[in-house]
Amino acid sequence: MPRLCSCLIDLLCLPGRWVSWLTLPLILAITVSVISAAAGVTVLADWDGTLPILGKALTVNTLTDVQWYIFALLVLFGGVWALRDDAHVSVDFLSLMMSRKQRLWVRVFGDLGFLLPFSLIICWYGYGFTQTAFRTGEGSTQGGLDARWIIKAALPVCFGMLAVFGVVRGIGTLIWLARGGHDGAGDNDATTKGA
């Protein structure tokens, strides 16, 4: 794969690497919510007025919302990273019956024929979904986090990144195949890994 394509793919994976550090606050939120629930404490802290995102208090429901917000970010941003490293679900029994070049042609078709249009559709509807949440001031009605539009905005952003990933990897793979599978990069790049 051309070096520029590999660099762009690595850049698209960078947010997934950063977001992976949210695993630590996720563990903390789970631990505190379990201990609080066992102790019968529902409100951990409250204050006068409202704070952005947190609202009027920090509750067990706030921690529950934090958990699914973090989990959503891990899955969405980690999706690009997992796709690059071939850590996603694949149909190995079909792949084993194909030559390396056949697998790469299937990958190009999958990236440009399936991943790209699917990602663009999710971006389109996800953007509207986010706009509605922002306009209506959607938030938790059970004492959780306010401003749900923030987490909903991750949907079109991450699927936009997947769309760009599909285009870059598809074009990079086509270039690699057109060169006869030789570009000096060897088998260590994202195009040929697992192929």
Side-chain angles (χ1 to χ4, degrees):
M1 176 178 291
R3 186 161 303 280
L4 176 62
C5 293
S6 294
C7 289
L8 285 172
I9 287 173
D10 288 342
L11 187 64
L12 288 167
C13 292
L14 198 55
R17 289 179 186 266
W18 293 337
V19 168
S20 69
W21 284 98
L22 290 177
T23 305
L24 299 175
L26 176 62
I27 293 168
L28 179 65
I30 292 169
T31 304
V32 171
S33 64
V34 167
I35 292 170
S36 299
V41 176
T42 56
V43 178
L44 304 172
D46 59 353
W47 44 81
D48 294 329
T50 59
L51 291 177
I53 301 172
L54 292 175
K56 297 180 181 180
L58 179 63
T59 67
V60 173
N61 286 341
T62 304
L63 293 178
T64 302
D65 283 358
V66 165
Q67 292 169 38
W68 73 262
Y69 276 37
I70 291 174
F71 185 72
L73 292 173
L74 288 170
V75 169
L76 289 170
F77 283 103
V80 177
W81 193 5
L83 192 57
R84 184 206 60 191
D85 291 348
D86 280 337
H88 58 288
V89 177
S90 62
V91 186
D92 291 333
F93 79 95
L94 292 176
S95 179
L96 292 173
M97 294 186 289
M98 297 180 196
S99 71
R100 182 175 185 209
K101 286 193 177 183
Q102 287 172 328
R103 287 192 299 264
L104 290 175
W105 279 110
V106 169
R107 177 181 282 173
V108 168
F109 181 71
D111 285 346
L112 300 177
F114 289 106
L115 179 64
L116 179 60
F118 177 76
S119 296
L120 292 176
I121 290 168
I122 298 295
C123 282
W124 175 262
Y125 286 105
Y127 179 74
F129 191 48
T130 303
Q131 271 190 320
T132 301
F134 181 76
R135 272 196 322 267
T136 61
E138 183 181 350
S140 175
T141 58
Q142 304 296 319
L145 295 175
D146 291 337
R148 288 239 170 108
W149 66 270
I150 294 172
I151 193 65
K152 290 183 178 186
L155 194 66
V157 168
C158 292
F159 275 91
M161 290 169 54
L162 271 174
V164 172
F165 175 90
V167 169
V168 170
R169 188 171 74 168
I171 291 172
T173 304
L174 285 172
I175 292 170
W176 191 83
L177 287 166
R179 290 179 179 169
H182 306 290
D183 63 351
D187 291 340
N188 296 327
D189 60 66
T191 302
T192 59
K193 185 176 188 281

